Amino acid sequence: MELNDEVRETVSTALEMALRGQSRKALAILSGLLPDHPQHHDVPYGIGVVHAIQGEHEEAIQWFDRAIAIYPYSIESYYNKAVAFQKLLDVPNCIRSYQRVVAIGPASDPEVAKSRGIIENMASVIMRTEGVSLDAFLRSGDKFNEAFELMDRSDWQGALEGFRASAALNDRNAPCHGNMGLCHANLGHKAEALAELDRALEINPDYQPARSNREVVTQMEEGSPLSGTTYQSINYSLENFRRERQ
Protein backbone atom coordinates (compact mmCIF):
# COMPACT_ATOMS: atom_id res chain seq x y z
CA MET A 1 0.00 0.00 0.00
CA GLU A 2 1.33 3.41 -0.98
CA LEU A 3 1.22 6.43 1.33
CA ASN A 4 1.57 9.70 -0.51
CA ASP A 5 0.21 12.99 0.80
CA GLU A 6 0.46 14.64 -2.61
CA VAL A 7 -1.76 11.97 -4.17
CA ARG A 8 -4.25 12.30 -1.31
CA GLU A 9 -4.43 16.07 -1.82
CA THR A 10 -5.01 15.59 -5.56
CA VAL A 11 -7.83 13.14 -4.82
CA SER A 12 -9.40 15.61 -2.40
CA THR A 13 -9.21 18.38 -5.00
CA ALA A 14 -10.81 16.12 -7.64
CA LEU A 15 -13.65 15.22 -5.29
CA GLU A 16 -14.31 18.88 -4.55
CA MET A 17 -14.58 19.44 -8.30
CA ALA A 18 -17.04 16.54 -8.62
CA LEU A 19 -19.20 18.03 -5.88
CA ARG A 20 -19.28 21.28 -7.85
CA GLY A 21 -20.64 19.44 -10.90
CA GLN A 22 -17.32 18.83 -12.67
CA SER A 23 -17.48 15.04 -12.44
CA ARG A 24 -16.02 14.37 -15.88
CA LYS A 25 -12.95 16.47 -15.19
CA ALA A 26 -12.56 14.95 -11.72
CA LEU A 27 -12.75 11.44 -13.16
CA ALA A 28 -10.08 12.29 -15.73
CA ILE A 29 -7.73 13.52 -12.99
CA LEU A 30 -8.28 10.45 -10.82
CA SER A 31 -7.96 8.03 -13.74
CA GLY A 32 -4.70 9.72 -14.62
CA LEU A 33 -3.32 8.88 -11.18
CA LEU A 34 -3.98 5.14 -11.50
CA PRO A 35 -1.03 4.06 -13.70
CA ASP A 36 1.58 5.66 -11.42
CA HIS A 37 -0.17 4.97 -8.11
CA PRO A 38 -1.92 1.57 -8.39
CA GLN A 39 -1.41 0.84 -4.68
CA HIS A 40 -2.76 4.10 -3.27
CA HIS A 41 -6.26 3.20 -2.04
CA ASP A 42 -7.46 6.81 -2.13
CA VAL A 43 -7.39 6.74 -5.95
CA PRO A 44 -9.95 3.95 -6.53
CA TYR A 45 -11.91 5.28 -3.55
CA GLY A 46 -12.10 8.69 -5.21
CA ILE A 47 -13.17 7.19 -8.52
CA GLY A 48 -15.89 5.29 -6.66
CA VAL A 49 -17.15 8.49 -5.05
CA VAL A 50 -17.35 10.25 -8.42
CA HIS A 51 -19.36 7.37 -9.88
CA ALA A 52 -21.65 7.51 -6.85
CA ILE A 53 -22.16 11.25 -7.33
CA GLN A 54 -23.19 10.49 -10.91
CA GLY A 55 -25.67 7.87 -9.71
CA GLU A 56 -23.59 4.99 -11.10
CA HIS A 57 -23.78 2.93 -7.94
CA GLU A 58 -22.78 -0.47 -9.32
CA GLU A 59 -19.62 1.01 -10.79
CA ALA A 60 -18.98 2.84 -7.53
CA ILE A 61 -19.14 -0.41 -5.55
CA GLN A 62 -16.57 -2.01 -7.84
CA TRP A 63 -14.15 0.85 -7.21
CA PHE A 64 -14.77 0.82 -3.46
CA ASP A 65 -13.94 -2.89 -3.51
CA ARG A 66 -10.67 -2.11 -5.28
CA ALA A 67 -9.84 0.41 -2.57
CA ILE A 68 -10.69 -2.14 0.15
CA ALA A 69 -8.51 -4.77 -1.55
CA ILE A 70 -5.57 -2.37 -1.19
CA TYR A 71 -6.47 -1.22 2.32
CA PRO A 72 -8.96 -3.51 4.13
CA TYR A 73 -9.49 -0.94 6.91
CA SER A 74 -10.82 1.83 4.69
CA ILE A 75 -13.80 3.00 6.72
CA GLU A 76 -14.75 5.54 4.05
CA SER A 77 -14.85 2.87 1.34
CA TYR A 78 -17.09 0.57 3.36
CA TYR A 79 -19.37 3.43 4.38
CA ASN A 80 -19.83 4.71 0.84
CA LYS A 81 -20.24 1.14 -0.38
CA ALA A 82 -23.09 0.74 2.11
CA VAL A 83 -24.74 3.91 0.80
CA ALA A 84 -24.41 2.64 -2.79
CA PHE A 85 -26.01 -0.68 -1.86
CA GLN A 86 -28.80 1.24 -0.16
CA LYS A 87 -29.42 3.20 -3.36
CA LEU A 88 -29.61 -0.12 -5.23
CA LEU A 89 -32.16 -1.47 -2.69
CA ASP A 90 -29.74 -4.26 -1.79
CA VAL A 91 -30.58 -4.37 1.91
CA PRO A 92 -28.44 -7.35 3.04
CA ASN A 93 -25.23 -6.02 1.45
CA CYS A 94 -26.07 -2.54 2.67
CA ILE A 95 -26.34 -3.76 6.26
CA ARG A 96 -23.20 -5.90 6.04
CA SER A 97 -21.18 -2.96 4.75
CA TYR A 98 -22.39 -0.78 7.62
CA GLN A 99 -21.54 -3.62 10.01
CA ARG A 100 -18.03 -3.71 8.60
CA VAL A 101 -17.63 0.02 9.28
CA VAL A 102 -18.55 -0.58 12.92
CA ALA A 103 -16.25 -3.60 13.13
CA ILE A 104 -13.09 -1.90 11.87
CA GLY A 105 -13.54 1.72 12.93
CA PRO A 106 -12.96 3.47 16.26
CA ALA A 107 -16.12 4.24 18.23
CA SER A 108 -15.28 7.96 18.08
CA ASP A 109 -15.38 8.05 14.28
CA PRO A 110 -18.51 9.90 13.00
CA GLU A 111 -19.10 7.35 10.25
CA VAL A 112 -18.94 4.53 12.79
CA ALA A 113 -21.55 6.25 14.93
CA LYS A 114 -23.77 6.87 11.89
CA SER A 115 -23.39 3.26 10.77
CA ARG A 116 -24.28 1.93 14.21
CA GLY A 117 -27.38 4.12 14.30
CA ILE A 118 -28.46 3.02 10.80
CA ILE A 119 -27.99 -0.66 11.69
CA GLU A 120 -30.04 -0.28 14.86
CA ASN A 121 -32.75 1.60 12.98
CA MET A 122 -32.89 -1.01 10.20
CA ALA A 123 -32.98 -3.83 12.75
CA SER A 124 -35.92 -2.15 14.46
CA VAL A 125 -37.81 -1.66 11.19
CA ILE A 126 -37.09 -5.22 10.05
CA MET A 127 -38.40 -6.61 13.33
CA ARG A 128 -41.51 -4.46 13.03
CA THR A 129 -42.22 -5.14 9.34
CA GLU A 130 -40.78 -8.64 8.88
CA GLY A 131 -41.10 -9.99 12.41
CA VAL A 132 -37.55 -11.41 12.45
CA SER A 133 -34.17 -10.50 13.85
CA LEU A 134 -31.52 -8.80 11.76
CA ASP A 135 -29.44 -12.00 11.68
CA ALA A 136 -32.40 -14.10 10.49
CA PHE A 137 -33.20 -11.48 7.85
CA LEU A 138 -29.64 -11.58 6.49
CA ARG A 139 -29.47 -15.37 6.45
CA SER A 140 -32.86 -15.52 4.75
CA GLY A 141 -31.58 -13.09 2.13
CA ASP A 142 -28.57 -15.29 1.44
CA LYS A 143 -30.84 -18.30 0.91
CA PHE A 144 -33.09 -16.20 -1.32
CA ASN A 145 -30.20 -15.12 -3.56
CA GLU A 146 -28.91 -18.68 -3.87
CA ALA A 147 -32.38 -19.88 -4.81
CA PHE A 148 -32.84 -17.06 -7.32
CA GLU A 149 -29.63 -18.09 -9.10
CA LEU A 150 -30.99 -21.64 -9.38
CA MET A 151 -34.28 -20.29 -10.73
CA ASP A 152 -32.35 -18.30 -13.32
CA ARG A 153 -30.87 -21.62 -14.47
CA SER A 154 -34.35 -23.19 -14.55
CA ASP A 155 -33.49 -25.56 -11.69
CA TRP A 156 -37.03 -25.29 -10.39
CA GLN A 157 -36.83 -28.02 -7.76
CA GLY A 158 -33.52 -26.76 -6.37
CA ALA A 159 -34.82 -23.19 -6.37
CA LEU A 160 -38.02 -24.25 -4.62
CA GLU A 161 -36.04 -25.89 -1.83
CA GLY A 162 -33.88 -22.77 -1.53
CA PHE A 163 -36.86 -20.44 -1.29
CA ARG A 164 -38.40 -22.73 1.31
CA ALA A 165 -35.21 -22.44 3.36
CA SER A 166 -35.39 -18.65 3.00
CA ALA A 167 -39.04 -18.58 4.06
CA ALA A 168 -38.27 -20.75 7.07
CA LEU A 169 -36.09 -17.89 8.34
CA ASN A 170 -38.38 -15.06 7.19
CA ASP A 171 -41.88 -16.06 6.16
CA ARG A 172 -43.11 -12.51 5.59
CA ASN A 173 -41.29 -12.03 2.29
CA ALA A 174 -43.68 -11.63 -0.65
CA PRO A 175 -41.08 -12.16 -3.41
CA CYS A 176 -39.99 -15.41 -1.77
CA HIS A 177 -43.51 -16.84 -1.85
CA GLY A 178 -44.10 -15.42 -5.31
CA ASN A 179 -41.02 -17.20 -6.59
CA MET A 180 -42.06 -20.42 -4.89
CA GLY A 181 -45.30 -20.07 -6.82
CA LEU A 182 -43.35 -19.82 -10.08
CA CYS A 183 -41.26 -22.85 -9.18
CA HIS A 184 -44.38 -24.89 -8.47
CA ALA A 185 -45.94 -23.71 -11.75
CA ASN A 186 -42.90 -24.77 -13.74
CA LEU A 187 -43.02 -28.14 -11.99
CA GLY A 188 -46.66 -28.56 -12.95
CA HIS A 189 -48.05 -27.98 -9.43
CA LYS A 190 -50.92 -25.59 -10.19
CA ALA A 191 -52.69 -25.74 -6.82
CA GLU A 192 -49.48 -25.22 -4.84
CA ALA A 193 -48.42 -22.43 -7.19
CA LEU A 194 -51.67 -20.55 -6.63
CA ALA A 195 -51.39 -21.06 -2.87
CA GLU A 196 -47.91 -19.49 -2.81
CA LEU A 197 -48.93 -16.60 -5.06
CA ASP A 198 -51.92 -15.97 -2.82
CA ARG A 199 -49.61 -16.00 0.19
CA ALA A 200 -47.39 -13.40 -1.52
CA LEU A 201 -50.40 -11.16 -2.09
CA GLU A 202 -51.59 -11.71 1.46
CA ILE A 203 -48.25 -10.40 2.69
CA ASN A 204 -48.15 -7.54 0.20
CA PRO A 205 -51.31 -6.82 -1.81
CA ASP A 206 -49.29 -4.39 -3.97
CA TYR A 207 -46.78 -7.04 -5.10
CA GLN A 208 -47.57 -6.82 -8.82
CA PRO A 209 -45.36 -9.72 -10.04
CA ALA A 210 -47.42 -12.18 -8.00
CA ARG A 211 -50.68 -10.69 -9.29
CA SER A 212 -49.52 -10.88 -12.93
CA ASN A 213 -48.12 -14.40 -12.58
CA ARG A 214 -51.30 -15.59 -10.88
CA GLU A 215 -53.31 -14.67 -13.98
CA VAL A 216 -51.03 -16.90 -16.06
CA VAL A 217 -51.04 -19.78 -13.58
CA THR A 218 -54.85 -19.90 -13.44
CA GLN A 219 -54.82 -20.88 -17.12
CA MET A 220 -52.46 -23.84 -16.75
CA GLU A 221 -53.53 -27.44 -16.23
CA GLU A 222 -52.60 -29.37 -13.09
CA GLY A 223 -49.66 -31.65 -13.85
CA SER A 224 -48.59 -29.72 -16.96
CA PRO A 225 -45.48 -27.61 -16.28
CA LEU A 226 -45.75 -23.97 -17.18
CA SER A 227 -43.00 -23.07 -19.65
CA GLY A 228 -41.74 -19.76 -20.96
CA THR A 229 -42.92 -17.77 -17.96
CA THR A 230 -41.22 -14.44 -17.39
CA TYR A 231 -40.65 -13.38 -13.83
CA GLN A 232 -39.18 -10.59 -11.78
CA SER A 233 -38.13 -10.23 -8.19
CA ILE A 234 -37.74 -7.11 -6.10
CA ASN A 235 -36.44 -6.90 -2.58
CA TYR A 236 -39.22 -4.95 -0.88
CA SER A 237 -37.48 -4.72 2.48
CA LEU A 238 -35.87 -1.35 1.81
CA GLU A 239 -39.16 -0.05 0.42
CA ASN A 240 -40.76 -1.06 3.72
CA PHE A 241 -37.92 0.69 5.53
CA ARG A 242 -38.51 3.88 3.56
CA ARG A 243 -42.24 3.81 4.17
CA GLU A 244 -41.61 3.39 7.89
CA ARG A 245 -39.36 6.45 7.83
CA GLN A 246 -41.92 8.68 6.08
Side-chain angles (χ1 to χ4, degrees), residues 14-244:
L15 292 181
E16 289 174 2
M17 294 171 60
L19 290 171
R20 294 197 301 268
Q22 298 174 288
S23 293
R24 183 175 298 181
K25 188 173 182 180
L27 199 56
I29 293 172
L30 294 168
S31 298
L33 291 172
L34 272 177
D36 295 328
H37 306 280
Q39 290 301 309
H40 199 300
H41 77 280
D42 281 344
V43 179
Y45 164 75
I47 294 174
V49 171
V50 175
H51 280 296
I53 290 172
Q54 296 181 125
E56 299 163 352
H57 303 296
E58 291 181 352
E59 292 85 350
I61 290 168
Q62 294 176 13
W63 284 102
F64 293 140
D65 281 338
R66 287 184 62 170
I68 291 166
I70 296 170
Y71 182 52
Y73 299 97
S74 176
I75 298 172
E76 296 85 357
S77 294
Y78 274 113
Y79 185 86
N80 283 277
K81 183 180 174 182
V83 173
F85 275 128
Q86 189 166 339
K87 296 290 186 180
L88 292 171
L89 306 184
D90 187 337
V91 182
N93 281 318
C94 167
I95 293 172
R96 287 194 170 101
S97 295
Y98 281 128
Q99 287 177 329
R100 190 60 184 155
V101 173
V102 174
I104 66 176
S108 59
D109 190 291
E111 289 177 338
V112 172
K114 289 180 184 178
S115 297
R116 184 178 291 107
I118 291 171
I119 293 169
E120 292 174 353
N121 196 3
M122 283 188 166
S124 176
V125 170
I126 287 169
M127 177 58 73
R128 185 163 61 251
T129 60
E130 309 289 327
V132 297
S133 68
L134 184 61
D135 179 65
F137 174 83
L138 292 175
R139 288 189 289 122
S140 176
D142 290 340
K143 297 291 185 184
F144 181 98
N145 291 335
E146 292 168 5
F148 194 82
E149 289 180 6
L150 293 173
M151 190 167 68
D152 258 347
R153 299 200 294 269
S154 298
D155 182 354
W156 303 109
Q157 185 61 47
L160 178 59
E161 293 171 2
F163 287 126
R164 281 173 174 164
S166 176
L169 291 164
N170 178 15
D171 186 60
R172 287 160 59 176
N173 186 334
C176 190
H177 286 280
N179 290 339
M180 280 195 278
L182 284 173
C183 290
H184 277 300
N186 281 275
L187 290 168
H189 310 155
K190 179 179 179 178
E192 292 170 287
L194 289 174
E196 291 296 346
L197 291 167
D198 285 342
R199 173 60 178 151
L201 291 170
E202 178 186 353
I203 295 168
N204 185 351
D206 296 326
Y207 186 50
Q208 188 58 41
R211 192 172 301 282
S212 299
N213 289 324
R214 194 184 192 287
E215 294 178 3
V216 177
V217 172
T218 56
Q219 301 176 35
M220 68 177 282
E221 293 184 9
E222 185 69 50
S224 298
L226 183 66
S227 60
T229 303
T230 58
Y231 57 86
Q232 58 178 311
S233 179
I234 302 172
N235 190 325
Y236 272 74
S237 299
L238 187 53
E239 291 301 322
N240 289 340
F241 175 74
R242 285 176 172 170
R243 284 197 294 270
E244 290 291 324

